[in-house]
Amino acid sequence: MIRMVNRALKDMWANRFLNAITVVTVALSILIVGAFALFFVNASGLLSLWTKEIRIMAYLEPDMTPEAIRSLGKRMEGMPGVGDVRFVSRERALEQLREGMDEASALLDSLEENPLPNAYEIHMAEAFRNREKFELLATRIAGLEGVSEVEYGQEWLNRFIRIIDLFRLVGIAMGALFFLAAAFIVANTIRLVLYSRRDEIEIMRLMGGAEAFIRGPFYMQGLLQGALGGAAGMTMLFGGFRFVADKVAEGGGFLPVRFLPDEMILGIFIGSMVVGWMGSYVSLRQFLKA
Amino acid sequence: MAIEDSGEPIIRLFHVHKRYGAKKALSDLSFEISRNEFLFVSGPSGAGKTTLLKLLYLGATVSEGQIIIDGLNLSRIPRRRIPFLRRKFGIIFQDYKLIPQRSVQDNIAIVLEARGAPRKTIRKKVRSVLRTVGMEDKRRALPPSLSGGEQQRVAVARAIAGDPQIILADEPTGSLDAEAAEVIFELLREYHRRGATVLVATHDAALIRRTGGRVILLEGGELDVVTTIPRLPA
Ligand SMILES: Nc1ncnc2c1ncn2[C@@H]1O[C@H](COP(=O)(O)OP(=O)(O)O)[C@@H](O)[C@H]1O
Ligand SMILES: [Mg+2]
């Protein structure tokens, strides 16, 4: 194992120019993938901040007994994803409306009876603050007996969510594309190295070298290229992030920004190693078929 | 010294043919090589000596016929077992096949690394075989900086590094003067005494007479004659 790493490092040093280009290419790919991930992480962070504010209003049927209303509230509390459930009586709703209308509230005095229904105001549990779960919950609440209508969300928020979804899609597609490009570059480099080493490989085979023994250092080389590229890419990303974060802070820090969570950094790093490994695999498959 | 051939053959050929395209390199070869035999394959250039050795270590495959080595039928051996077959051999190639970018000692170490030997063992063994061929002080040199004779000695050192059961030597004295050739041959005889089976391809009749042993004489890819030449008294 150590011998393999040594041999791989020696090889890389012997072809340092080629390897440098490969590592830089992998780094740039990782940088772009990372940038998308970073955007996505911060956009969803922002989103979850906003979704904390949104709630589902469930308007109740008229003529429900207090017991029926209470048991409905209990059922809502028992539903998965529901955080906080608050009852808003029709009287309280009217009061709120009155407060909201200021001078015009006199208009309400002319009403003979309160036209507003009783309602439950439902907030989501933290873990459930995403759109699909949110909509699913709203639909299920709408289906409960005693609920006449639900109201939730705001149009702009939905639009924002849709844009983020689009970005996620583009990000995944671009990520896949750049990962592929990086794997292709690594494959190409390894192919060149294999080509320059073909006599040596043949000799090692004649000396009774097993395939694993012969291929190991090349896999190691791909893995190292991936790892170095990944580390360099993440470092560049972090540098860029610090720069932007400082600018945001100067601007008053109205937006909360954060770097990628540790597990995502690890994931991207491992991903870049996998890319290197795949590059080697492709070349070795092709070149050492015999 | 009389050489005793012990019992069952280590290599057996049955009606072996080898063709390169339409060109026949070997035709209908059948013979056996005993364990611990010292055997020569002789014949003029182009007779098929190198081809015959290649078939043994699966550097090429037979077009027809069967080769059995140490109980293994080479036509049936699975690909992943080939390295194990090759580790039975110590091969001195006609063109040496040294890796030009690696030092003399690294070239030899490969044989042992391929077998998964521990570092320390490898270092010791490499030193010892280089001492045996008198190339210890050139261990850090790259092969292209060595003379033909020196490269040949490195090739010999590499061939014996793995303590092989069978030594295949293709014109092992081709680029050596008589004195150096005798040193190499003495070495082959030494490994033979220790129990190895030795197969030497050469067209040098004088060398054969000096060592003695069975000779397979090839002519245009066909077995011409098998004779036993007694060793000349020194
Ligand atoms: N790889 C090859 N492709 C085509 N012909 C070959 C190849 N190797 C050897 N030959 C031919 O097979 C014959 C035997 O060659 P070889 O075994 O090298 O003879 P020797 O070693 O006795 O000089 C020669 O005619 C040679 O040209
Ligand atoms: Mg030859």
Side-chain angles (χ1 to χ4, degrees):
Chain A
M1 190 66 180
I2 291 169
R3 208 180 279 161
M4 236 173 233
V5 176
N6 269 337
R7 257 166 69 194
L9 283 174
K10 246 188 220 167
D11 258 20
M12 287 174 76
W13 185 246
N15 298 304
R16 51 195 169 278
F17 184 66
L18 189 63
N19 272 280
I21 291 176
T22 310
V23 167
V24 167
T25 312
V26 174
L28 288 177
S29 303
I30 293 300
L31 177 63
I32 289 166
V33 171
F36 264 100
L38 192 56
F39 171 82
F40 186 69
V41 160
N42 280 293
S44 352
L46 214 54
L47 193 64
S48 82
L49 210 65
W50 288 332
T51 43
K52 205 182 294 175
E53 302 302 319
I54 63 174
R55 72 276 180 278
I56 300 171
M57 290 302 295
Y59 298 104
L60 309 184
E61 306 274 7
D63 313 324
M64 283 174 81
T65 63
E67 293 84 66
I69 290 173
R70 219 173 301 126
S71 80
L72 182 62
K74 285 263 176 294
R75 282 182 67 187
M76 285 175 177
E77 274 171 1
M79 290 170 80
V82 169
D84 184 38
V85 177
R86 209 176 333 149
F87 180 65
V88 183
S89 68
R90 51 207 298 250
E91 294 78 21
R92 172 95 188 95
L94 189 63
E95 235 169 82
Q96 277 176 354
L97 190 61
R98 218 189 280 278
E99 279 165 21
M101 287 175 78
D102 283 336
E103 294 114 67
S105 67
L107 280 172
L108 296 174
D109 294 335
S110 62
L111 291 172
E112 277 170 26
E113 69 180 294
N114 184 352
L116 298 176
N118 286 318
Y120 272 113
E121 185 181 314
I122 299 132
H123 289 261
M124 310 264 310
E126 186 106 41
F128 285 79
R129 280 185 202 139
N130 76 50
R131 188 170 64 132
E132 290 84 28
K133 286 179 178 145
F134 189 81
E135 283 183 347
L136 184 71
L137 183 65
T139 316
R140 289 176 55 197
I141 287 172
L144 291 175
E145 200 177 329
V147 175
S148 66
E149 213 187 325
V150 294
E151 199 183 275
Y152 64 90
Q154 287 116 321
E155 198 42 42
W156 68 269
L157 193 60
N158 277 329
R159 211 170 301 149
F160 182 72
I161 288 169
R162 269 197 292 277
I163 288 169
I164 287 189
D165 280 354
L166 187 69
F167 261 98
R168 171 165 36 193
L169 215 66
V170 172
I172 289 172
M174 295 279 278
L177 210 67
F178 276 96
F179 268 136
L180 269 178
F184 180 78
I185 295 289
V186 172
N188 224 33
T189 304
I190 299 285
R191 187 169 18 244
L192 284 173
V193 174
L194 285 173
Y195 187 74
S196 69
R197 289 290 156 99
R198 62 198 184 285
D199 293 338
E200 178 173 346
I201 289 168
E202 186 50 30
I203 291 169
M204 290 206 283
R205 280 180 169 160
L206 292 175
M207 296 297 110
E211 285 304 296
F213 167 76
I214 291 170
R215 290 171 191 228
F218 296 108
Y219 275 119
M220 195 54 78
Q221 213 171 321
L223 218 59
L224 284 174
Q225 283 167 354
L228 284 176
M234 290 312 246
T235 308
M236 288 194 276
L237 185 66
F238 189 71
F241 168 77
R242 290 259 33 115
F243 181 77
V244 172
D246 287 349
K247 283 271 174 290
V248 168
E250 274 169 30
F254 58 93
L255 287 173
V257 284
R258 63 197 210 93
F259 197 57
L260 299 176
D262 290 350
E263 57 272 18
M264 208 179 259
I265 294 174
L266 191 69
I268 291 180
F269 185 67
I270 289 174
S272 74
M273 280 170 50
V274 168
V275 159
W277 187 89
M278 261 169 46
S280 301
Y281 176 79
V282 168
S283 279
L284 285 162
R285 274 288 296 245
Q286 238 180 329
F287 200 88
L288 297 187
K289 192 76 192 71
Chain B
M1 187 215 286
I3 289 155
E4 239 158 27
D5 295 339
S6 61
E8 139 226 20
I10 190 165
I11 298 174
R12 279 186 282 182
L13 284 82
F14 298 102
H15 304 291
V16 168
H17 295 253
K18 178 61 184 176
R19 284 181 292 272
Y20 289 111
K23 162 111 189 102
K24 285 184 179 173
L26 291 174
S27 299
D28 201 24
L29 284 191
S30 295
F31 62 90
E32 299 184 340
I33 302 172
S34 312
R35 239 168 248 282
N36 196 216
E37 190 173 348
F38 199 119
L39 181 91
F40 290 96
V41 177
S42 194
S45 180
K49 305 182 291 294
T50 299
T51 303
L52 173 59
L53 298 193
K54 258 193 195 165
L55 294 181
L56 299 182
Y57 61 80
L58 279 177
T61 50
V62 298
S63 306
E64 235 177 277
Q66 311 250 305
I67 299 177
I68 298 187
I69 295 179
D70 214 6
L72 286 170
N73 186 334
L74 299 198
S75 340
R76 302 242 179 81
I77 192 169
R79 189 193 280 289
R80 71 192 146 71
R81 302 289 306 175
I82 292 175
F84 294 96
L85 169 80
R86 288 181 177 156
R87 288 176 209 168
K88 292 179 191 295
F89 295 107
I91 311 171
I92 303 162
F93 298 94
Q94 193 166 7
D95 55 354
Y96 322 131
K97 292 202 194 298
L98 299 173
I99 300 168
Q101 308 92 332
R102 300 232 203 156
S103 67
V104 163
Q105 58 183 358
D106 284 356
N107 262 280
I108 296 168
I110 284 176
V111 174
L112 301 153
E113 283 171 3
R115 286 162 167 76
R119 250 169 166 7
K120 244 176 103 180
T121 316
I122 293 177
R123 201 164 337 124
K124 262 199 229 155
K125 188 73 189 181
V126 168
R127 285 284 178 100
S128 119
V129 293
L130 279 174
R131 204 176 307 126
T132 307
V133 299
M135 289 290 294
E136 210 187 358
D137 52 338
K138 293 279 175 71
R139 64 179 184 278
R140 289 185 212 288
L142 294 177
S145 73
L146 303 175
S147 74
E150 286 172 326
Q151 290 188 44
Q152 196 141 36
R153 274 143 74 187
V154 175
V156 171
R158 185 182 60 184
I160 59 179
D163 289 319
Q165 280 181 60
I166 306 166
I167 295 178
L168 302 179
D170 199 353
E171 312 280 5
T173 56
S175 45
L176 300 179
D177 54 52
E179 203 179 329
E182 188 46 46
V183 171
I184 297 297
F185 254 77
E186 189 43 48
L187 210 78
L188 292 177
R189 284 192 288 264
E190 164 69 16
Y191 273 81
H192 175 239
R193 275 193 292 276
R194 289 197 212 166
T197 305
V198 181
L199 199 63
V200 181
T202 181
H203 56 260
D204 187 343
L207 256 171
I208 299 175
R209 277 195 297 278
R210 266 208 302 274
T211 305
R214 205 153 62 105
V215 181
I216 304 257
L217 189 64
L218 295 178
E219 179 69 62
E222 289 179 38
L223 189 69
D224 192 14
V225 71
V226 182
T227 49
T228 303
I229 308 264
R231 188 180 182 185
L232 276 187

